[in-house]
Amino acid sequence: MKQLWGKVSLKGQVMLFTSLIVLISLLILSAFVAHNQSKNTREYLAEKVQISASHIAYSALIQDSLLIGEPNQELIDYVELVREENDFLYIVIMDNQKIRFTHPDHEKIGQTFVGSDAEEVFNGEKYTSEDIGTLGPSMRAFHPVWDREGNQIGAVSVGIATKSIQEAVLENQIILIMITAISLILGLIGAWYLANRMKKTLNGMEPKEIALAVQERNSMLEAVNDGILAINNRGEVLLANDTAQQFLRRTGYRGQYEHTSIDLIWPELKLQEAITAKSPGNHELIKKGDVEVIVTRVPMYVNNQCVGALATFNERSQLHDIMRDLIGAEVYAHSLRSETHEFMNKLHIIQAMVETESYEELKDYIADISERYHLKTASAVSQVGQLVEDVSIAHYLSKRIGWMEQMGVNVHIQSGIPWPSMNTDFIDTWVTVIGNTFDNAWEAMKQKEHRNLTLTLKQVGGVLRYVIEDNGIGFSASEQQVLVTTKKGDHGYGIANIQKKIQLLHGTLDILSEKDKGTIITVHIPYTERS
């Protein structure tokens, strides 16, 4: 049954439930009204026959006939006329001995009145009762007849057939049934209209679909690592996911969330301003206590009407960790591309030697590669890990130094206090500095027979110092003014981009070069542990 009911659409369920409620309500109401109508109809007819009996009892014609002691045609005609006009079953005039003076069946005139309910009328009582007479079951009204001196001289009994009462009740109930049927039809129309409105309001979704959508929404909200806060247009919180609640608890808030003003929870967020803002606020830096977060605030619209605002946020430290990982991955990818490029060059050389059958030269070349590989751990590369604590920079610098050594460059490293771990801004800047200065140094030395490179990494008085010196072709003072690389792709961004990067961190760049003697590039960038 449940499975069958589950297949019924929301519209069908609403119509069925509404129709059932209307039907049950109408049935209860109809039963109550039918009972009252039956009761009222019987009371009305009882009152009608009682009043008729009373009027007849006070008629002079009736009194005179009973005083004479015998019926007459005038009395019979009068009583029959009254009976027919009021659709009574009978009107019987009787004397104190229950002898009938009138009766619809003229043969029964002069006979004794039939019925055990006629005794009390001769004691001066007037009343109604139900009994079975010669004409069948009837409701009978009894009324005593007195003469002018107040002596009882007889009685009047007026009867209406029980069948007539039932017909009157049935007629009223038929009308009631018709009204009930019309009301049910109207109820069904109303249920259909209500079901359509509900379906439209719910965008045509069924209850199971709505429940599933809510569960999916909650799962998605809790799955994201960003904090999410939503408010209505009155500034009351509609939603705060687990990440947002955990963050707010860590920063000191211990109250409720839903239907609480955002100004009581996080006044610095100023989320209500997003409701009237013409454009969303992207990546704004906002503080909550001692914690800095990056916030995006946007208004929420339903049917082109702003109904509230939404804020997504993350702690700045977490974003820095993500950027650090991304830069490390980028550095690693850059190193892999460089090694792949070098490896392919070696394969081309080996292929050429094989094709020209220069086996002795090939043997020497492979021996040279092997020797360089085994000597690598004893080269300057092995020193980098001791000079730079930051893994991303150390890895990248090692790859660049190793490449230089493989290309026949004699690399010498000078050091002082090691470089510390850094945030993403510094890592990005130093990757740019190292990559471009090494590329420029190689371009300057690659035509030289003897290639020497000296690298200095120091930390002096809160300033990171980087000095790279080559014995390349150098350049004149005038050339320093237009020293901008023209290389593309993976080879760096040039001196101009180095200057742009270090200026953002309040650093300096110095270039000292002589034609055919070499170049010294010195970079200083202020650094503290809070940078």
Side-chain angles (χ1 to χ4, degrees), residues 120-132:
E120 294 183 7
V121 71
F122 295 103
N123 295 324
E125 299 293 334
K126 53 182 178 179
Y127 56 92
T128 59
S129 68
E130 291 189 29
D131 204 348
I132 300 175

Side-chain angles (χ1 to χ4, degrees), residues 211-223 238-240 258:
L212 180 61
V214 171
Q215 292 173 357
E216 291 174 344
R217 162 189 171 274
N218 291 337
S219 297
M220 288 186 290
L221 289 174
E222 304 310 333
L238 297 175
L239 168 71
E258 291 189 5

Side-chain angles (χ1 to χ4, degrees), residues 49 83 87-92 138-141 157-161:
V49 294
R83 186 188 72 80
D87 197 22
F88 292 144
L89 180 63
Y90 70 85
I91 298 177
V92 173
S138 63
M139 176 183 286
R140 299 127 73 97
S157 177
V158 179
I160 184 169

